Amino acid sequence: MIKHDPPTAGTEPHVIRPVKDTVGTQGAGAGGGDNVVDLLKQLAGQGSHLAEQQLALIKAEIREATADIKAAIGSMAGAAVVGLSGLGVTLMGIAYLLGDAIDNVPLATLLVGLATLALAYLLYRAGAKKMSNAHLSPERTQRTLQRTPDAVRGDL
């Protein structure tokens, strides 16, 4: 069994905590001005942290979309391999059998070739449909970025 340590205080980057005055007497005459400066520093740090997390979200969404594209390309490549290798020999055998049945081998070869092209077109269209369904825009990030100015103003 794996032991999980409880989260320690201060590990949450989204929580702003006031900085303790280590000197003790400095800043007392300024009316707490140092605390405002420290809070502004923390606010700037939180802003950069937010920007980093937004960038990480964009990367994750693009990674997810590229996985869908890879699957579609794999499907199209599979269609090409099947169309070129195994079907070539099988289709020639079917063409000869059909040619013997209708006593016209060239016509049978043409018919089998046209049927093969129709099958290849259907396989290609299935792959193209999968590719068109891939979502390439990071929609969640766009929604968050649109809400960010409202959040800063407190207008959520």
Side-chain angles (χ1 to χ4, degrees), residues 53 55 71 76 97 104 139:
Q53 287 193 339
L55 183 61
M76 293 169 115
L97 287 175
N104 191 348
E139 295 165 358

Side-chain angles (χ1 to χ4, degrees), residues 56-78:
L57 180 61
I58 290 170
K59 288 179 182 179
E61 289 181 11
I62 290 174
R63 202 174 303 120
E64 186 178 302
T66 55
D68 293 340
I69 290 174
K70 285 180 184 178
I73 290 172
S75 175
M76 293 169 115

Side-chain angles (χ1 to χ4, degrees), residues 75-142:
S75 175
M76 293 169 115
V81 168
V82 168
L84 293 176
S85 61
L87 284 179
V89 174
T90 304
L91 293 175
M92 283 308 297
I94 291 172
Y96 281 116
L97 287 175
L98 184 61
D100 284 343
I102 61 172
D103 292 330
N104 191 348
V105 174
L107 178 63
T109 305
L110 179 65
L111 291 174
V112 170
L114 291 175
T116 304
L117 288 175
L119 177 64
Y121 176 76
L122 292 175
L123 290 172
Y124 175 80
R125 292 302 301 164
K129 184 178 180 182
K130 283 183 184 179
M131 188 173 288
S132 70
N133 288 337
H135 300 291
L136 296 178
S137 64
E139 295 165 358
R140 291 178 288 191
T141 302
Q142 289 173 351

